[in-house]
């Protein structure tokens, strides 16, 4: 969610128990504008918090002119001092998926690869490296997984130019209340996968400038999203049941929307059996 509107946005998603202490909010209000200035980001989003056993990781994302370009991610242990994270690699994502259990809250904590993936551990030993994966690498991969799976935006909030870059739609005035209650009105804000498989007949009704992302209505398993009206029916809130802790909000007929994650960084693998 937008760093500048953080206090108001957190109040809109507080129905699920997500939130920050006044001290943390004050720290973020002071540090995030400095992060934007120092790293020369066009926008800074507060992504959320992954709670570990001994501490928590607070995450922020920096955006450039092209909103679909890879985002710079930073983490902090105290909401004041921020460290830049390296981009996630395919190997990092594959190994992180095999890690089970809670985060420790210590970026330097090491997981033994020999217990997780013997082949990957053997490759590292052969190349002269220790067969371990640091928690910082797991953090990078988990943020990437969550963003790809449940990072969402309303339909029409962003437009794709003929050159391929994605920008905020200045003419977007929010979804109507009727549209805001439909899963088809929300898109995954990542590289589309299902869109490429659609037939020409299905694509004929799509606007290439706004319908360039995958809709939530085809998410698997079906029923992995909960839609609710809160604040007297003035706010539409979507919660992911696959990544528990991800909350998206949108105030219909306004430009106010965003998502935030407050959780343990663990995927709900039991969801197919719960539906």
């Amino acid at each position: 969610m937008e760093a500048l509107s953080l206090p108001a946005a957190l109040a809109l998603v507080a129905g699920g128990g997500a939130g920050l202490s006044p001290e943390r909010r004050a720290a973020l209000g002071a540090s995030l504008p400095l992060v934007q200035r120092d790293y020369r980001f066009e926008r800074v989003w507060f992504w959320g918090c992954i709670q570990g056993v001994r501490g928590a990781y607070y995450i922020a994302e920096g955006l450039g002119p092209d909103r679909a370009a890879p985002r710079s991610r930073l983490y902090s242990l105290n909401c004041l001092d921020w460290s830049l994270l390296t981009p996630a690699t395919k190997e990092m994502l594959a190994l992180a998926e095999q890690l089970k259990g809670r985060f420790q809250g210590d970026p330097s904590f090491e997981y033994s690869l020999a217990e997780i993936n013997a082949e990957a551990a053997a490759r590292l030993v052969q190349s002269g490296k220790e067969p371990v994966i640091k928690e910082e690498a797991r953090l990078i991969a988990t943020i990437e997984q969550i963003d790809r799976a449940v990072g969402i935006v309303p339909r029409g909030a962003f437009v794709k130019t003929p050159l391929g870059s994605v920008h905020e739609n200045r003419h977007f005035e929010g979804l109507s209340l009727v549209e805001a209650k439909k899963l088809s009105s929300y898109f995954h804000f990542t590289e589309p996968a299902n869109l490429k498989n659609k037939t020409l007949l299905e694509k004929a009704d799509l606007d290439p400038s706004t319908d360039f992302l995958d809709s939530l209505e085809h998410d698997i398993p079906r029923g992995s999203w909960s839609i609710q009206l809160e604040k007297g029916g003035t706010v539409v809130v979507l919660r992911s049941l696959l990544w528990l802790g991800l909350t998206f909000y949108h105030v219909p007929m306004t430009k106010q929307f965003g998502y935030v994650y407050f959780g343990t960084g663990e995927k709900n693998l039991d969801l197919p059996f719960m539906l």
Side-chain angles (χ1 to χ4, degrees), residues 119-129:
E119 290 182 12
R123 285 198 301 270
L124 285 175
V125 171
Q126 288 174 358
S127 61
K129 298 178 182 178

Side-chain angles (χ1 to χ4, degrees), residues 167-260:
H167 303 279
E168 291 172 8
N169 185 0
R170 295 181 180 180
H171 302 292
F172 177 69
E173 295 297 337
L175 301 171
S176 67
L177 185 57
V178 173
E179 290 296 318
K181 292 188 284 185
K182 299 177 183 177
L183 272 182
S184 58
S185 297
Y186 301 96
F187 292 154
H188 289 281
F189 199 39
T190 186
E191 188 69 25
N194 298 330
L195 193 65
K196 298 173 184 176
N197 300 326
K198 288 193 174 185
T199 65
L200 290 174
L201 191 61
E202 289 174 318
K203 290 181 179 179
D205 295 329
L206 302 180
D207 183 342
S209 65
T210 55
D211 299 317
F212 59 94
L213 300 168
D214 285 336
S215 167
L216 267 61
E217 63 180 331
H218 302 300
D219 279 13
I220 298 173
R222 291 189 179 277
S224 61
W225 288 97
S226 163
I227 302 183
Q228 296 164 333
L229 288 175
E230 297 187 0
K231 306 288 183 184
T234 59
V235 182
V236 177
V237 174
L238 279 73
R239 292 188 175 88
S240 173
L241 304 181
L242 186 62
W243 287 94
L244 296 171
L246 190 288
T247 307
F248 170 89
Y249 76 93
H250 175 48
V251 181
M253 306 305 293
T254 75
K255 295 184 178 183
Q256 297 179 58
F257 68 88
Y259 66 87
V260 69

Side-chain angles (χ1 to χ4, degrees), residues 91 95 98 111-133:
E91 184 181 17
L95 290 174
Q98 299 174 54
Y111 299 90
S112 173
L113 272 184
E115 302 172 4
I116 304 161
N117 188 318
E119 290 182 12
R123 285 198 301 270
L124 285 175
V125 171
Q126 288 174 358
S127 61
K129 298 178 182 178
E130 288 189 56
V132 296
I133 179 172

Side-chain angles (χ1 to χ4, degrees), residues 22-35:
E23 293 81 8
R24 296 296 185 199
R25 292 190 191 191
L28 288 172
S31 64
L32 289 180
L34 298 178
V35 167

Side-chain angles (χ1 to χ4, degrees), residues 4-208:
L4 294 175
S5 59
L6 191 58
L10 285 173
L12 296 176
V13 299
L20 293 169
S21 66
E23 293 81 8
R24 296 296 185 199
R25 292 190 191 191
L28 288 172
S31 64
L32 289 180
L34 298 178
V35 167
Q36 183 173 349
R37 182 199 68 186
D38 294 343
Y39 288 93
R40 297 182 180 180
F41 295 137
E42 193 168 287
R43 290 285 179 86
V44 171
W45 286 355
F46 176 65
W47 184 88
C49 168
I50 292 179
Q51 186 67 48
V53 176
R54 299 195 295 266
Y57 297 104
Y58 299 92
I59 315 298
E61 292 186 327
L63 291 82
D66 184 357
R67 297 294 191 260
R71 299 166 215 163
S72 299
R73 297 188 174 109
L74 307 96
Y75 79 92
S76 173
L77 301 176
N78 57 10
C79 294
L80 288 172
D81 304 307
W82 295 87
S83 301
L84 194 63
L85 292 167
T86 57
T89 62
K90 288 184 179 180
E91 184 181 17
M92 204 182 286
L93 289 166
L95 290 174
E97 283 186 358
Q98 299 174 54
L99 292 172
K100 308 297 179 187
R102 294 279 304 275
F103 278 80
Q104 295 300 307
D106 177 7
S108 61
F109 180 82
E110 295 179 340
Y111 299 90
S112 173
L113 272 184
E115 302 172 4
I116 304 161
N117 188 318
E119 290 182 12
R123 285 198 301 270
L124 285 175
V125 171
Q126 288 174 358
S127 61
K129 298 178 182 178
E130 288 189 56
V132 296
I133 179 172
K134 287 194 173 183
E135 183 156 279
E136 186 176 81
R138 184 188 180 188
L139 178 68
I140 294 167
T142 301
I143 297 169
E144 181 70 21
Q145 285 176 326
I146 294 174
D147 258 349
R148 286 185 186 182
V150 291
I152 61 176
V153 295
R155 180 181 184 273
F158 292 88
V159 292
K160 188 173 186 178
T161 67
L163 297 176
S165 59
V166 175
H167 303 279
E168 291 172 8
N169 185 0
R170 295 181 180 180
H171 302 292
F172 177 69
E173 295 297 337
L175 301 171
S176 67
L177 185 57
V178 173
E179 290 296 318
K181 292 188 284 185
K182 299 177 183 177
L183 272 182
S184 58
S185 297
Y186 301 96
F187 292 154
H188 289 281
F189 199 39
T190 186
E191 188 69 25
N194 298 330
L195 193 65
K196 298 173 184 176
N197 300 326
K198 288 193 174 185
T199 65
L200 290 174
L201 191 61
E202 289 174 318
K203 290 181 179 179
D205 295 329
L206 302 180
D207 183 342

